[in-house]
Amino acid sequence: MVSDNYDSKHETSEVSKNIVKPYGDTLNDGRVQISFVLPAPANDKGKEAAKLILKQMGLDEIEVCHIKDLTTGFTHFIAYATCNAVVDLNKIKVRSVDIVSLGMEQIDEYIDQNIGRELRVVGACIESDAHTVGIDAIMNMKGYSGHYGLERYRNFRAINLGAQVSVEDLLKKAMEVNADAVLVSQVVTQKNIHVKNLTKLIELTEAEGLRNKMLFICGGPRINHDLAIELGYDAGFGSGTYASDVAFFIAKYYSEK
């Protein structure tokens, strides 16, 4: 019986580990911090409006702890509240890029041994997006957070076209250098403009008959692999991606082709 009890508790513990909810001070207390703006005045009426919004979101034990008047009729609120929602980690299915953690020298050596030629990559922020921080982190020689960019790799020829590049010009350059991969960064996401821009590129790519001639990879703070696949890309990388992640994905694809 002792053994049975132990096994039962052990199984319950294993199940509990996979049922998760937010916590602030103690595990499973459900406490969350929420920040938002309301077109309401920075007074007691505005504060009550914020509480009612949070209540209608299903939150309990609401405490509005910060109120800042942004401009006439607009107020920024920060609140703490309790969330009763839970999720079962075992039931979550996501598509993600298989990333192998290799350094620049290891990837160059992998290309030497498995491909035997330089890989050509053209990258840009397309259309109205003027924020190059993402594409620069992957392409530029200095890289980001101690991870060198593709320009520093011995076996990559990296061509960074910069910001606000039209999809027509990006594809023209990719065809000119016979690119192995096209990298697209989208940092600006207001009103889902990143989805519209990425869709425009992939539609033009298909119209030009280029879709199966090179890899198309997109990245940005609101992009993940699942969205990229849905939009017709080969891979999508979100925040926290380094050049080595993208480099090995490209190298592995061509080594297996």
Side-chain angles (χ1 to χ4, degrees):
M1 287 299 290
V2 173
S3 176
D4 288 345
N5 286 339
Y6 171 79
D7 288 343
S8 176
K9 289 178 181 177
H10 182 69
E11 289 174 5
T12 300
S13 176
E14 288 300 313
V15 170
S16 302
K17 282 190 207 172
N18 293 308
I19 308 295
V20 298
K21 66 189 298 188
Y23 82 92
D25 295 323
T26 57
L27 191 63
N28 292 329
D29 64 12
R31 297 296 281 171
V32 295
Q33 177 181 306
I34 300 176
S35 171
F36 58 101
V37 173
L38 281 181
N43 56 23
D44 287 344
K45 182 178 283 188
K47 183 177 180 181
E48 187 61 21
K51 286 182 177 179
L52 290 172
I53 289 287
L54 296 171
K55 189 68 178 176
Q56 291 178 52
M57 292 169 65
L59 301 171
D60 295 324
E61 301 178 74
I62 298 161
E63 301 170 47
V64 177
C65 59
H66 172 83
I67 299 175
K68 182 175 178 57
D69 187 1
L70 298 178
T71 185
T72 304
F74 290 85
T75 305
H76 178 221
F77 297 93
I78 297 177
Y80 295 109
T82 298
C83 168
N84 296 308
V86 298
V87 295
D88 185 346
L89 295 177
N90 285 333
K91 294 182 179 178
I92 297 175
K93 306 294 182 188
V94 295
R95 288 181 287 191
S96 59
V97 181
D98 291 330
I99 293 176
V100 177
S101 183
L102 294 179
M104 179 180 69
E105 292 83 3
Q106 291 173 297
I107 294 173
D108 274 333
E109 186 175 343
Y110 179 88
I111 294 172
D112 284 337
Q113 295 175 357
N114 295 280
I115 302 173
R117 67 173 178 85
E118 179 185 73
L119 293 171
R120 297 171 293 275
V121 179
V122 177
C125 301
I126 58 172
E127 299 297 305
S128 58
D129 197 324
H131 294 71
T132 62
V133 60
I135 198 69
D136 287 347
I138 301 300
M139 302 284 286
N140 284 6
M141 184 173 287
K142 66 181 180 182
Y144 167 72
S145 191
H147 295 256
Y148 294 129
L150 296 182
E151 288 177 350
R152 197 168 183 123
Y153 283 62
R154 177 169 48 82
N155 278 323
F156 276 93
R157 179 186 174 196
I159 303 168
N160 184 355
L161 299 182
Q164 293 185 313
V165 177
S166 70
V167 295
E168 292 84 1
D169 286 347
L170 175 59
L171 287 186
K172 182 180 178 182
K173 189 64 178 181
M175 287 189 287
E176 177 186 318
V177 302
N178 193 23
D180 295 295
V182 170
L183 304 187
V184 181
S185 173
Q186 289 287 267
V187 174
V188 177
T189 60
Q190 279 86 353
K191 300 184 185 297
N192 281 331
I193 187 65
H194 61 305
V195 173
K196 295 175 185 174
N197 290 341
L198 292 171
T199 300
K200 183 178 179 181
L201 173 61
I202 215 67
E203 286 180 348
L204 183 60
T205 298
E206 291 171 350
E208 296 287 341
L210 297 172
R211 182 61 192 89
N212 296 320
K213 294 184 178 179
M214 55 191 77
L215 285 174
F216 284 84
I217 300 168
C218 56
R222 288 185 59 194
I223 291 174
N224 56 41
H225 188 55
D226 207 35
L227 174 62
I229 296 298
E230 183 181 332
L231 295 176
Y233 287 74
D234 294 291
F237 293 89
S239 301
T241 297
Y242 299 113
S244 56
D245 301 324
V246 178
F248 186 71
F249 176 82
I250 297 170
K252 186 169 184 289
Y253 173 84
Y254 282 101
S255 72
E256 295 175 348
K257 189 175 179 182

